[in-house]
């Protein structure tokens, strides 16, 4: 019996979208996309609101008139990525195609798609925070475990810096395993844990001052990345690498509402061997749009701890556009 490729593609698309959010360490950022207007394609509209402060109440005239401004900024998802996979029908039959295809796409997404989305988001947050040059919100030159230093003090300074900027709501910390290890050693097993929700799944994560700390692989904690196009000589393997001028981050502290992240999988296409015009093979086309934005009025809400010394050049990461090239 022939496989219903349309139904299979839809099933894959829905499942892969859900898994992408659950597997990504930055998957919690997608929750903020609920305020974004998206009508297909690469453009989104992000609401930006501003209000005036309080005024005196007058017993004769009443309240001072206040103003509310709500405008939508049109942004474009710059990351348009994809791959084509082909499976020879001699290796599988119609009955186990779904199982084989699910294994291929699941491994592809776990090994390449999710890490790249995480690395891009964190690098863009970092590069824009550095470019904003908000006093006291970026620190350089701290290596976890260095004699005479305290990881606990460093992270508390980061939390304090964000709080001093007026952000009193829930915060999130992304940190490398080396930094978390130093925290655990300092606290000697006394580090607290909180429940953190991401993509409908609740997990227990370590916390400082009730701020959850998300363990993040070091190869996703760069201030800039370079993405490979998958076809140019030397870039055939695709994926991403550390940007040529990128720095290594220890941790980043930010409000849960600051980053607005969107990831959309385009209609997944599956062609069976009788339809595929190029080869006698099953073909699967995977395409994903994604991007992240921090509104201008929230760039002062992010604190970065960077492992490397501060560059002498002001062009830190300037050869990497928007967190990636």
């Amino acid at each position: 019996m022939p496989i219903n490729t349309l139904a299979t593609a839809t099933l894959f698309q829905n499942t892969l979208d859900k898994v992408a959010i659950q597997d990504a360490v930055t998957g919690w950022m997608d929750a903020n996309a609920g305020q974004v207007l998206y009508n297909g394609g690469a453009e989104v509209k992000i609401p930006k609101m501003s209000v005036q402060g309080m005024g005196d109440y007058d017993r004769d005239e009443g309240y001072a008139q206040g103003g509310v401004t709500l405008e939508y900024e049109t942004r474009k998802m710059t990351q348009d990525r994809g791959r084509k996979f082909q499976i020879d029908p001699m290796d599988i039959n119609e009955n186990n195609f779904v199982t084989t295809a699910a294994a291929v796409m699941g491994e592809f997404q776990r090994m390449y798609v999710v890490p790249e989305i995480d690395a891009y988001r964190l690098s863009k947050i970092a590069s824009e925070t550095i470019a904003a040059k908000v006093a006291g919100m970026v620190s350089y030159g701290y290596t976890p475990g260095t004699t005479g230093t305290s990881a606990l003090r460093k992270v508390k300074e980061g939390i304090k810096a964000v709080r001093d900027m007026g952000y009193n709501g829930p915060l999130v910390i992304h940190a490398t395993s080396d930094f978390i290890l130093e925290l655990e050693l300092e606290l000697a097993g006394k580090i607290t844990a909180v429940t953190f929700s991401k993509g409908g799944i609740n997990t227990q994560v370590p916390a400082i001052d009730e701020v959850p700390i998300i363990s993040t692989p070091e190869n996703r904690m760069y201030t800039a990345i370079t993405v490979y196009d998958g076809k140019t000589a030397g870039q055939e393997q695709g994926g991403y690498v550390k940007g040529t001028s990128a720095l290594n981050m220890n941790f980043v502290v930010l409000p849960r509402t600051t980053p607005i992240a969107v990831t959309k999988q385009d209609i997944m296409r599956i062609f069976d061997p009788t339809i595929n015009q190029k080869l006698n093979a099953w073909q699967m086309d995977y395409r994903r749009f994604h991007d992240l934005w921090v509104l201008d009025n929230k760039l002062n809400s992010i604190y970065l701890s960077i492992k490397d010394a501060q560059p002498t050049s002001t062009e830190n990461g300037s050869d990497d556009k928007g967190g990636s090239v």
Side-chain angles (χ1 to χ4, degrees):
M1 179 182 295
I3 294 174
N4 186 333
T5 55
L6 178 60
T8 302
T10 301
L11 176 63
F12 278 149
Q13 182 173 335
N14 293 339
T15 301
L16 292 173
D17 267 341
K18 184 176 181 180
V19 171
I21 294 174
Q22 293 175 346
D23 285 356
V25 294
T26 60
W28 61 271
M29 300 179 184
D30 290 85
N32 293 332
Q35 57 189 297
V36 173
L37 299 180
Y38 178 71
N39 295 314
E43 286 191 346
V44 297
K45 293 184 182 296
I46 303 174
K48 183 177 180 180
M49 179 184 293
S50 62
V51 295
Q52 294 177 309
M54 290 199 295
D56 289 339
Y57 179 80
D58 186 286
R59 294 193 177 189
D60 294 321
E61 300 296 330
Y63 298 95
Q65 179 65 47
V68 178
T69 301
L70 177 62
E71 55 188 7
Y72 283 87
E73 295 184 10
T74 299
R75 302 289 183 96
K76 186 174 182 178
M77 288 185 278
T78 61
Q79 302 304 293
D80 185 356
R81 307 282 281 161
R83 271 292 193 183
K84 175 174 66 178
F85 296 93
Q86 295 185 133
I87 305 175
D88 195 288
M90 296 298 291
D91 297 329
I92 59 173
N93 58 44
E94 287 186 350
N95 293 328
N96 71 8
F97 165 74
V98 172
T99 302
T100 304
V104 170
M105 299 310 294
E107 183 73 357
F108 168 63
Q109 185 153 282
R110 182 179 67 85
M111 292 293 294
Y112 295 101
V113 177
V114 167
E116 182 177 316
I117 291 174
D118 282 337
Y120 174 79
R121 289 176 175 180
L122 291 167
S123 68
K124 189 169 184 183
I125 286 171
S127 62
E128 293 193 359
T129 300
I130 293 171
K133 297 181 179 179
V134 179
M137 300 306 284
V138 182
S139 66
Y140 295 89
Y142 168 64
T143 299
T146 302
T147 302
T149 63
S150 167
L152 180 60
R153 181 177 183 85
K154 291 292 184 182
V155 75
K156 279 182 169 286
E157 287 175 349
I159 294 172
K160 178 180 181 297
V162 176
R163 295 299 190 204
D164 285 349
M165 287 293 178
Y167 294 88
N168 296 317
L171 305 181
V172 178
I173 298 171
H174 280 278
T176 63
S177 56
D178 284 348
F179 184 81
I180 294 175
L181 174 62
E182 289 305 311
L183 275 179
E184 292 174 337
L185 290 174
E186 283 188 47
L187 294 174
K190 296 180 181 179
I191 193 168
T192 60
V194 297
T195 299
F196 187 76
S197 179
K198 179 187 64 176
I201 296 178
N202 293 330
T203 57
Q204 288 287 304
V205 298
I208 296 295
D209 296 342
E210 299 185 353
V211 179
I213 303 174
I214 311 302
S215 181
T216 306
E218 290 187 8
N219 63 359
R220 306 181 199 182
M221 293 284 281
Y222 302 139
T223 58
I225 64 171
T226 298
V227 294
Y228 284 169
D229 61 21
K231 54 187 178 182
T232 300
Q235 299 187 22
E236 294 90 348
Q237 71 269 34
Y240 75 96
V241 295
K242 181 181 179 181
T244 54
S245 301
L247 305 176
N248 295 291
M249 292 185 281
N250 293 309
F251 65 88
V252 54
V253 184
L254 70 169
R256 188 150 187 165
T257 56
T258 286
I260 299 174
V262 176
T263 175
K264 297 290 184 182
Q265 184 176 328
D266 196 16
I267 297 174
M268 185 173 179
R269 303 191 304 173
I270 297 176
F271 302 99
D272 70 32
T274 63
I275 301 298
N276 189 349
Q277 299 296 306
K278 187 174 182 180
L279 291 174
N280 178 25
W282 290 95
Q283 178 176 310
M284 297 174 290
D285 294 347
Y286 181 103
R287 186 181 182 188
R288 182 171 290 278
F289 290 108
H290 72 92
D291 215 322
L292 173 139
W293 304 274
V294 177
L295 298 182
D296 295 341
N297 60 355
K298 291 188 177 181
L299 280 172
N300 66 345
S301 69
I302 304 166
Y303 180 90
L304 294 179
S305 170
I306 296 176
K307 186 175 182 179
D308 305 281
Q310 184 173 4
T312 55
S313 170
T314 58
E315 296 179 352
N316 172 42
S318 62
D319 57 335
D320 302 299
K321 63 176 182 178
S324 71
V325 163

